[in-house]
Amino acid sequence: MLIIDLSVLKRVLVVDDDPDVLEVFQEVLETEHYKVYPLLSPRYIFKTIKDFRPDLIILDIMLNGMDGRAVFKELRLNAETAGIPIIMASARYDENYIISQKYHPDDYLEKPFNITDLLRKVGALIEN
């Protein structure tokens, strides 16, 4: 039996307003031994970050009533969260649009996403 020390698991905060998408992210990442905190709304993102201390954030762009790009900008401008790697995810915008913005994420994930791509991107950012 494999015993995993939960205190050393890398932590991923996933922010998406679709509970089904959150569940997929959570199942895939937990299968690969990441500790995942699913968040349906970015309203309490700074408190969640303070309490959960994520090693990586996956942030959807189109959030119910909120713009993930504005949330991303706030995260980048805040000294306490500026250094956390962020993957932006979207079904509407493509990677060229994202990287053309003034503030751009560490990586981008187009929805629907390929699980292998997700794990590769997460691994590349979280293990550095």
Side-chain angles (χ1 to χ4, degrees):
M1 179 160 87
L2 178 66
I3 298 176
I4 298 170
D5 181 356
L6 297 179
S7 68
V8 299
L9 290 183
K10 296 291 186 172
R11 295 174 304 280
V12 181
L13 172 61
V14 182
V15 185
D16 198 303
D17 61 355
D18 184 331
D20 295 330
V21 172
L22 272 181
E23 185 177 341
V24 171
F25 273 118
Q26 187 167 10
E27 285 183 20
V28 168
L29 292 169
E30 286 179 349
T31 299
E32 295 298 316
H33 308 295
Y34 292 103
K35 186 171 183 170
V36 179
Y37 191 108
L39 191 62
L40 273 169
S41 166
R43 183 164 284 124
Y44 302 108
I45 193 168
F46 284 97
K47 180 183 181 341
T48 303
I49 289 169
K50 185 177 179 188
D51 295 344
F52 183 63
R53 297 182 334 277
D55 297 295
L56 173 74
I57 298 170
I58 299 174
L59 177 63
D60 190 28
I61 291 177
M62 302 299 294
L63 296 164
N64 189 15
M66 297 184 86
D67 186 335
R69 294 166 299 183
V71 175
F72 172 74
K73 183 178 175 185
E74 281 185 52
L75 291 169
R76 280 295 183 252
L77 294 175
N78 183 308
E80 293 178 20
T81 58
I84 301 172
I86 297 175
I87 297 174
M88 297 285 296
S90 180
R92 178 174 290 178
Y93 298 103
D94 67 10
E95 189 169 5
N96 292 327
Y97 170 79
I98 300 303
I99 60 175
S100 73
Q101 302 300 296
K102 180 176 179 185
Y103 298 97
H104 47 84
D106 299 280
D107 212 331
Y108 174 75
L109 190 64
E110 193 167 339
K111 293 180 185 177
F113 58 87
N114 175 298
I115 291 173
T116 304
D117 286 344
L118 167 67
L119 294 174
R120 181 180 45 78
K121 290 173 187 241
V122 167
L125 288 172
I126 214 166
E127 302 305 329
N128 290 338

